Amino acid sequence: MQRFVRPLESPPVNGYSHAVAFAGPMVAVSGQIPLDAEGRIVGESDAAAQTRQVFTNLATALRAAGARMQDVVKLTVYLTDLADLDAFRRIRDEHLDPARPPACSLVKVAGLVHPAFRIEIDALAVLPARA
């Protein structure tokens, strides 16, 4: 995997790569939401708590498919309030290596499937080579 964080003549970044090149099988992870394993909303009015739960759910889905967070090549982040961006970035950097970030798109949306959800994230990851 090769990450092009900031190629020559590209604009500055904040925790993502402009491009990621990779080869091998991929796994697509559906949008993960701030529900725990029992289906309860985590942190109903707390952006940081919701983001932590979403990253926990992403890691769980990746593990089930045989991948890890460091195998993520692309995130798509949906926020209902851009005031939550700092919380997202802080928690993202706890789960992903800031020196090797994935490509990322961030979209502000009017709402998600449940009105209490503040964030949803989907991901693409490359499955590591098996020996």
Side-chain angles (χ1 to χ4, degrees), residues 43-52 83-85 87-88 91 118-119:
E44 193 158 334
S45 59
D46 182 342
Q50 286 201 11
T51 303
R52 275 191 185 85
D84 297 344
L85 184 56
F88 159 73
I91 292 154
R118 302 173 69 94
I119 185 168

mmCIF file of all heavy atoms in Angstrom, residues 43-52 83-85 87-88 91 118-119:
data_model
loop_
_atom_site.group_PDB
_atom_site.id
_atom_site.type_symbol
_atom_site.label_atom_id
_atom_site.label_comp_id
_atom_site.label_asym_id
_atom_site.label_seq_id
_atom_site.Cartn_x
_atom_site.Cartn_y
_atom_site.Cartn_z
ATOM 1 N N GLY A 43 -24.105 7.772 23.599
ATOM 2 C CA GLY A 43 -23.815 9.208 23.605
ATOM 3 C C GLY A 43 -24.797 10.030 22.812
ATOM 4 O O GLY A 43 -24.394 10.793 21.942
ATOM 5 N N GLU A 44 -26.065 9.918 23.134
ATOM 6 C CA GLU A 44 -27.099 10.565 22.323
ATOM 7 C C GLU A 44 -26.800 12.027 21.985
ATOM 8 O O GLU A 44 -27.038 12.464 20.870
ATOM 9 C CB GLU A 44 -28.462 10.452 23.006
ATOM 10 C CG GLU A 44 -29.589 10.818 22.082
ATOM 11 C CD GLU A 44 -30.908 10.245 22.483
ATOM 12 O OE1 GLU A 44 -30.949 9.203 23.165
ATOM 13 O OE2 GLU A 44 -31.912 10.847 22.098
ATOM 14 N N SER A 45 -26.261 12.796 22.898
ATOM 15 C CA SER A 45 -25.948 14.201 22.593
ATOM 16 C C SER A 45 -24.447 14.473 22.715
ATOM 17 O O SER A 45 -24.034 15.618 22.880
ATOM 18 C CB SER A 45 -26.734 15.122 23.533
ATOM 19 O OG SER A 45 -26.391 14.836 24.876
ATOM 20 N N ASP A 46 -23.629 13.437 22.599
ATOM 21 C CA ASP A 46 -22.185 13.538 22.805
ATOM 22 C C ASP A 46 -21.448 13.075 21.539
ATOM 23 O O ASP A 46 -21.333 11.879 21.283
ATOM 24 C CB ASP A 46 -21.796 12.690 24.016
ATOM 25 C CG ASP A 46 -20.321 12.761 24.368
ATOM 26 O OD1 ASP A 46 -19.503 13.178 23.527
ATOM 27 O OD2 ASP A 46 -19.993 12.377 25.504
ATOM 28 N N ALA A 47 -20.959 14.052 20.765
ATOM 29 C CA ALA A 47 -20.292 13.725 19.496
ATOM 30 C C ALA A 47 -19.093 12.815 19.696
ATOM 31 O O ALA A 47 -18.865 11.892 18.910
ATOM 32 C CB ALA A 47 -19.869 15.006 18.785
ATOM 33 N N ALA A 48 -18.299 13.053 20.736
ATOM 34 C CA ALA A 48 -17.104 12.230 20.975
ATOM 35 C C ALA A 48 -17.500 10.794 21.298
ATOM 36 O O ALA A 48 -16.904 9.849 20.763
ATOM 37 C CB ALA A 48 -16.268 12.826 22.099
ATOM 38 N N ALA A 49 -18.480 10.597 22.155
ATOM 39 C CA ALA A 49 -18.922 9.240 22.509
ATOM 40 C C ALA A 49 -19.470 8.521 21.280
ATOM 41 O O ALA A 49 -19.198 7.338 21.065
ATOM 42 C CB ALA A 49 -19.966 9.289 23.620
ATOM 43 N N GLN A 50 -20.237 9.231 20.460
ATOM 44 C CA GLN A 50 -20.773 8.603 19.247
ATOM 45 C C GLN A 50 -19.641 8.222 18.296
ATOM 46 O O GLN A 50 -19.638 7.124 17.728
ATOM 47 C CB GLN A 50 -21.771 9.538 18.563
ATOM 48 C CG GLN A 50 -23.093 9.613 19.292
ATOM 49 C CD GLN A 50 -24.225 10.087 18.411
ATOM 50 O OE1 GLN A 50 -24.107 10.188 17.191
ATOM 51 N NE2 GLN A 50 -25.364 10.361 19.038
ATOM 52 N N THR A 51 -18.670 9.110 18.140
ATOM 53 C CA THR A 51 -17.556 8.825 17.231
ATOM 54 C C THR A 51 -16.740 7.638 17.728
ATOM 55 O O THR A 51 -16.350 6.770 16.930
ATOM 56 C CB THR A 51 -16.674 10.075 17.068
ATOM 57 O OG1 THR A 51 -17.497 11.153 16.591
ATOM 58 C CG2 THR A 51 -15.538 9.833 16.091
ATOM 59 N N ARG A 52 -16.490 7.560 19.025
ATOM 60 C CA ARG A 52 -15.760 6.400 19.576
ATOM 61 C C ARG A 52 -16.502 5.102 19.279
ATOM 62 O O ARG A 52 -15.897 4.097 18.899
ATOM 63 C CB ARG A 52 -15.577 6.562 21.082
ATOM 64 C CG ARG A 52 -14.392 7.375 21.447
ATOM 65 C CD ARG A 52 -14.047 7.310 22.946
ATOM 66 N NE ARG A 52 -12.960 8.224 23.186
ATOM 67 C CZ ARG A 52 -13.114 9.528 23.414
ATOM 68 N NH1 ARG A 52 -14.306 10.055 23.478
ATOM 69 N NH2 ARG A 52 -12.056 10.293 23.596
ATOM 70 N N ALA A 83 -19.790 21.271 13.738
ATOM 71 C CA ALA A 83 -19.183 21.562 15.040
ATOM 72 C C ALA A 83 -18.579 20.289 15.648
ATOM 73 O O ALA A 83 -17.736 20.374 16.541
ATOM 74 C CB ALA A 83 -20.214 22.165 15.993
ATOM 75 N N ASP A 84 -18.979 19.125 15.162
ATOM 76 C CA ASP A 84 -18.455 17.849 15.648
ATOM 77 C C ASP A 84 -17.149 17.442 14.959
ATOM 78 O O ASP A 84 -16.560 16.405 15.295
ATOM 79 C CB ASP A 84 -19.490 16.729 15.444
ATOM 80 C CG ASP A 84 -20.766 16.961 16.228
ATOM 81 O OD1 ASP A 84 -20.772 17.798 17.159
ATOM 82 O OD2 ASP A 84 -21.777 16.294 15.912
ATOM 83 N N LEU A 85 -16.676 18.238 14.009
ATOM 84 C CA LEU A 85 -15.485 17.883 13.234
ATOM 85 C C LEU A 85 -14.249 17.713 14.107
ATOM 86 O O LEU A 85 -13.479 16.764 13.923
ATOM 87 C CB LEU A 85 -15.233 18.934 12.150
ATOM 88 C CG LEU A 85 -14.086 18.664 11.188
ATOM 89 C CD1 LEU A 85 -14.237 17.320 10.495
ATOM 90 C CD2 LEU A 85 -13.996 19.789 10.170
ATOM 91 N N ALA A 87 -14.064 16.793 17.263
ATOM 92 C CA ALA A 87 -14.198 15.527 18.000
ATOM 93 C C ALA A 87 -13.899 14.354 17.079
ATOM 94 O O ALA A 87 -13.174 13.423 17.453
ATOM 95 C CB ALA A 87 -15.590 15.400 18.609
ATOM 96 N N PHE A 88 -14.429 14.391 15.857
ATOM 97 C CA PHE A 88 -14.147 13.325 14.899
ATOM 98 C C PHE A 88 -12.645 13.209 14.645
ATOM 99 O O PHE A 88 -12.077 12.120 14.715
ATOM 100 C CB PHE A 88 -14.883 13.562 13.570
ATOM 101 C CG PHE A 88 -14.262 12.819 12.432
ATOM 102 C CD1 PHE A 88 -14.398 11.443 12.330
ATOM 103 C CD2 PHE A 88 -13.467 13.470 11.500
ATOM 104 C CE1 PHE A 88 -13.766 10.743 11.296
ATOM 105 C CE2 PHE A 88 -12.847 12.790 10.480
ATOM 106 C CZ PHE A 88 -12.999 11.412 10.378
ATOM 107 N N ILE A 91 -10.657 11.709 17.651
ATOM 108 C CA ILE A 91 -10.882 10.276 17.874
ATOM 109 C C ILE A 91 -10.381 9.461 16.689
ATOM 110 O O ILE A 91 -9.822 8.378 16.879
ATOM 111 C CB ILE A 91 -12.359 10.032 18.203
ATOM 112 C CG1 ILE A 91 -12.636 10.661 19.574
ATOM 113 C CG2 ILE A 91 -12.707 8.554 18.193
ATOM 114 C CD1 ILE A 91 -14.024 11.068 19.817
ATOM 115 N N ARG A 118 -25.379 11.466 15.183
ATOM 116 C CA ARG A 118 -24.628 12.651 14.759
ATOM 117 C C ARG A 118 -23.578 12.307 13.712
ATOM 118 O O ARG A 118 -23.078 13.191 13.017
ATOM 119 C CB ARG A 118 -23.946 13.279 15.968
ATOM 120 C CG ARG A 118 -24.914 13.672 17.076
ATOM 121 C CD ARG A 118 -24.197 14.132 18.323
ATOM 122 N NE ARG A 118 -23.536 15.395 18.106
ATOM 123 C CZ ARG A 118 -24.069 16.585 18.390
ATOM 124 N NH1 ARG A 118 -25.266 16.652 18.915
ATOM 125 N NH2 ARG A 118 -23.395 17.685 18.154
ATOM 126 N N ILE A 119 -23.221 11.006 13.599
ATOM 127 C CA ILE A 119 -22.123 10.586 12.723
ATOM 128 C C ILE A 119 -22.388 9.192 12.185
ATOM 129 O O ILE A 119 -22.992 8.348 12.853
ATOM 130 C CB ILE A 119 -20.770 10.631 13.476
ATOM 131 C CG1 ILE A 119 -19.605 10.318 12.537
ATOM 132 C CG2 ILE A 119 -20.791 9.725 14.695
ATOM 133 C CD1 ILE A 119 -18.233 10.628 13.124
#
